[in-house]
Amino acid sequence: MGAQQVADRFAELYGAAPEGVWAAPGRVNLIGEHTDYNDGFVMPFALPHQAVAAVSRRTDGVLRLHSDDIGGGVVQLGLADLAPGTDREWTAYPAGVVWALREAGHEITGADVHLSSTVPTGAGLSSSAALEVVIALALSDLYGLGLPLWKLARLCQRAENVYVGAPTGIMDQTASACCEQGHALFLDTRDLSQRQIPFDLAAEGLRLLVVDTQVKHAHSGGEYGKRRAGCEKGAALLGVDALRDIPYDGLDAALARLGDEEEVVRLVRHVVTEDQRVERTVALLHAGETRAIGPVLTEGHASLRDDFRISCPELDLVVDTALAHGALGARMTGGGFGGSAVVLAEATDVDTLTKAVQEAFAAAAFTAPRVFEAVPAAGARRLA
């Protein structure tokens, strides 16, 4: 899917060439799940799969949107009519970004947009964040806003939280905006400080597979919000601003203080141990012990399955099957309740593992999974 192809389609739709073409990727999260809205640590990297947008400015207060990935024609919206909760379609994501920019005081007077994306939807790979970030970057460039990428990510998060109504953290948008090719992004979601960690698995004879279970999930659903509310309750009961503030070596004492709040205990335990898993992963990668991160990934899955309780039979089957056939580590990735798992493996074991997972899904009468290699790619950028 090249920039020229998207630009040509824009010209067909709107009768003139676009002013530019931009791209923003999806992401896979290596480790650090449900820690971002707890002010914790995450470690995503960008995928080659990306949303591409051809965009031109308008001066009449009209936003026109079209996607090659959604049936239907051009959708026309009035900027003055954009308001949270008014749109439950795919258009809420780009429209929400325009709303957030205008709410922040930026004079956006309209746009024509054509979109095409290769990021799988509902797979826990941040298709919505890619859509948001590509629109934000395009409008920042076209309107001369000069916004840094981290600030664009913040505005995109506001669009998703307030306009769309999905209570997500900052990780997805920051990953799409800020990741670098060949690196994983170690992000402190409290102060948004970033460190790019070299992550070249191929050079070490390793591969990271993404297994899309084809079980769709939605962040705006109630279960995600319940987990977030439970974490906030735990922080309040423990008298801290966020669960990030509970030290790992003080976890047992903190859990004891929660008494019979069983659900909150589980949520707190996951977040505190997950933050520690991110730090362990960073330390291992710095030490050149990449294979040793495998068991850390697997620990993370057990925590998400048993404490956070957001796995599903398909995700568990991927992890169990991969580990039984020689994987170094495996875990679900993304918000949960479906989506994808990641599998760390020796390059020589990829075909065997892939076949084993496919056969296990067939035997369980599950929809066939989609399996592909995850290679750290570049973040959001202008293509033309």
Side-chain angles (χ1 to χ4, degrees), residues 7 48 53 55 65 69 76 166 276 309 311 327 348 357 372:
V55 185
L65 301 167
D69 312 304
Q76 181 167 312
Q276 196 248 3
R309 299 189 180 179
S311 189
T348 52
V357 169
F372 61 91

Side-chain angles (χ1 to χ4, degrees), residues 273-343:
T273 58
E274 186 78 348
D275 273 334
Q276 196 248 3
R277 281 186 284 272
V278 178
E279 294 184 293
R280 285 164 60 197
T281 299
V282 172
L284 288 167
L285 291 175
H286 272 310
E289 299 179 25
T290 305
R291 284 171 174 80
I293 73 172
V296 184
L297 303 184
T298 304
E299 286 176 28
H301 183 77
S303 183
L304 290 161
R305 181 193 64 213
D306 300 335
D307 276 344
F308 230 67
R309 299 189 180 179
I310 56 170
S311 189
C312 67
E314 290 86 351
L315 288 167
D316 292 341
L317 184 60
V318 173
V319 171
D320 294 344
T321 303
L323 294 173
H325 288 81
L328 299 171
R331 75 172 192 93
M332 60 154 285
T333 186
F337 311 106
S340 299
V342 291
V343 178

Side-chain angles (χ1 to χ4, degrees), residues 7 170 258 274 355:
I170 190 64
L258 293 172
E274 186 78 348
K355 182 180 179 183

Side-chain angles (χ1 to χ4, degrees), residues 181-263:
Q181 187 170 350
H183 293 75
L185 177 66
F186 177 39
L187 173 67
D188 182 332
T189 65
R190 169 163 282 171
D191 62 13
L192 298 188
S193 60
Q194 302 177 17
R195 285 164 56 195
Q196 301 287 344
I197 308 296
F199 195 57
D200 185 359
L201 295 178
E204 300 188 54
L206 297 171
R207 298 290 187 272
L208 190 75
L209 300 178
V210 174
V211 182
D212 176 3
T213 65
Q214 306 286 344
V215 178
K216 303 300 182 184
H217 77 145
H219 276 162
S220 53
E223 290 300 319
Y224 186 100
K226 288 179 184 176
R227 300 306 189 280
R228 180 164 186 165
C231 290
E232 291 169 354
K233 179 179 179 181
L237 290 171
L238 293 168
V240 294
D241 291 335
L243 295 183
R244 150 75 173 275
D245 296 313
I246 304 299
Y248 179 74
D249 58 9
L251 177 59
D252 289 344
L255 297 182
R257 288 168 55 200
L258 293 172
D260 60 359
E261 293 277 358
E262 179 188 350
E263 181 179 4

Side-chain angles (χ1 to χ4, degrees), residues 163-182:
Y163 197 91
V164 178
T168 56
I170 190 64
M171 174 181 67
D172 295 350
Q173 292 84 2
T174 304
S176 184
C178 300
C179 279
E180 295 181 3
Q181 187 170 350

